Amino acid sequence: MSNKLLKFKLISLWSLLVFIPLFSRTLIQIDETRYVSVAWEMWIHSNWLVPYLNGEVYHHKPPLLFWLINLTWAIFGVNDWSPRLISGCFSLASLWLLVYLARQLWPQDSEIAESAPFILLACLLWSLFSTVAMFDIMLAFFTLLGMVAIVKNSWLLLGIAIGLGVLTKGPVILLHLLPVAILASSWNRWYLGVILGAAIALAWAIPAAIYGGDEFREAIFWGQTANRIVNSFAHQHPIWWYLPLLPIILFPWLFWKPVWQALLQIPQHISDYGVRFCLIWFLVVFVAFSLISGKQPHYLLPIIPAFALLIAYLVKQKDKIIIISTVSILISIILPLSFIKATEPSYDVRNISSKIHELQMNGETIAHLGKYHGQYQFLGRLQQPLEVVTEYNMCSWLIKNPQGKLVIYLGKEHLSLKQYTDYMQKYRSKKVAIIDASFLYSGCLVPIVF
């Protein structure tokens, strides 16, 4: 198979993977809607320095994704598809970097560079996150860029990768790059790349910290770095949690017998520099992430390219790899879309978002009962924050706003309130409704909500 035909097939598979979901679904709450809502508040307030969500500073993630979303809106106009195209573009660029890295590690064997991108693109976790508005495919790209810099001994390129990686998802990029720079290379000038990367990140972080205030400053310099590594309350899992997920994360490859046969032969290839490079990249980071308290499957995305390179080196069956990749990518398109279509009424919040927008534009007072993740801000194109009310201050809010409205979430036991709602729809496993505050304030209905 010629190189041109291979490139055409790879780009065709990537196009199917990215563009079919792009126009087949809306933003999924809570993560996608939250991140695009942060970008939306940047857009409407023209504030590019400090991210905001629902009118409050948002310190959980750096700004690069939000900047890029705004760039796509400047080019294509405000829409809900271009934010998801960003991950797709970084996924495609990562395939190119993977080919380049394979050629640097094994210049004598072109088949590795030809097989590796198909292996990476077919990995289930990679294919799924190539179509979502999140940070991890971007982080994987900058990790790959850093690996290229390490192989080429380029501190300038390493600094760019670290700096933009930090602006993507914080200092976690160092955890991906430094073990390889230190253990898999005799190059001793990697520290210059760290210094340059820190300078790039601080060029945003210092003015943002000054402008964002004490809480924002403490969060970006401590709370979202060392403190998160030591004590993550959001996604705590046991140390072994990633191991049973690997067959799913790396699907379909761990279900193919030649892969297991090849992995058992790794000790015979340990003298190869490329093999050692990829093993350090994958294993050290995998162990480190297993030790960190907070765990999510997509945290492992930046080490999947190392797996793809190893398998491409060990399994010299390019034609079968391409066939398996094609089938796997089609599965990763059909099954998620089928699931999303079946559950669409439960995650699609465009209608209620539009209803909230309408109420705000009509001058109605409307608040959200309970923790709010910004899921209605962008989809409703809300121009002002949605006030958040808790069970502790709800009564005082009702007294001040007896004619107001509340966005509330109802389980089966609360569906008796349906007759008092202005609007109701499915929301995940519950119902979300807009209810007149006057009914809640009438006295007998307040206990029903709680």
Side-chain angles (χ1 to χ4, degrees), residues 283-351:
L283 293 178
V284 173
V285 177
F286 181 83
V287 171
F289 271 86
S290 297
L291 294 174
I292 294 172
S293 59
K295 297 178 179 67
Q296 288 281 66
H298 52 269
Y299 293 174
L300 298 184
L301 276 167
I303 67 172
I304 296 180
F307 172 83
L309 288 170
L310 273 175
I311 299 307
Y313 171 84
L314 294 169
V315 182
K316 301 298 177 59
Q317 299 184 38
K318 182 177 66 177
D319 292 339
K320 289 185 178 180
I321 285 173
I322 293 174
I323 292 172
I324 294 173
S325 298
T326 303
V327 173
S328 178
I329 289 170
L330 292 176
I331 291 173
S332 67
I333 294 171
I334 295 170
L335 291 184
L337 281 181
S338 300
F339 176 79
I340 287 172
K341 285 299 180 183
T343 60
E344 188 171 30
S346 298
Y347 80 84
D348 188 348
V349 294
R350 285 177 291 186
N351 288 340

Side-chain angles (χ1 to χ4, degrees), residues 173-189:
I173 185 72
L174 296 174
L175 183 56
H176 289 287
L177 292 177
L178 291 191
V180 178
I182 296 170
L183 300 175
S185 172
S186 59
W187 178 44
N188 58 9
R189 300 184 68 189

Side-chain angles (χ1 to χ4, degrees), residues 345 349 351-353 355-356 359 366-370 372 375-376 386 397 404-411 414-428 430-437 439-440 449:
V349 294
N351 288 340
I352 189 170
S353 300
K355 183 66 176 179
I356 294 171
L359 291 169
I366 182 169
H368 185 279
L369 181 59
Y372 179 49
Q375 58 265 41
Y376 309 121
L386 188 59
W397 187 87
K405 297 182 183 296
L406 276 174
V407 178
I408 66 174
Y409 300 87
L410 307 174
H414 300 145
L415 291 183
S416 58
L417 288 174
K418 183 176 181 179
Q419 58 184 313
Y420 303 107
T421 62
D422 289 352
Y423 178 85
M424 179 181 288
Q425 71 166 67
K426 290 182 178 180
Y427 182 89
R428 305 173 83 173
K430 298 182 177 181
K431 301 278 188 179
V432 60
I434 299 174
I435 191 168
D436 287 331
F439 290 112
L440 293 173
V449 178

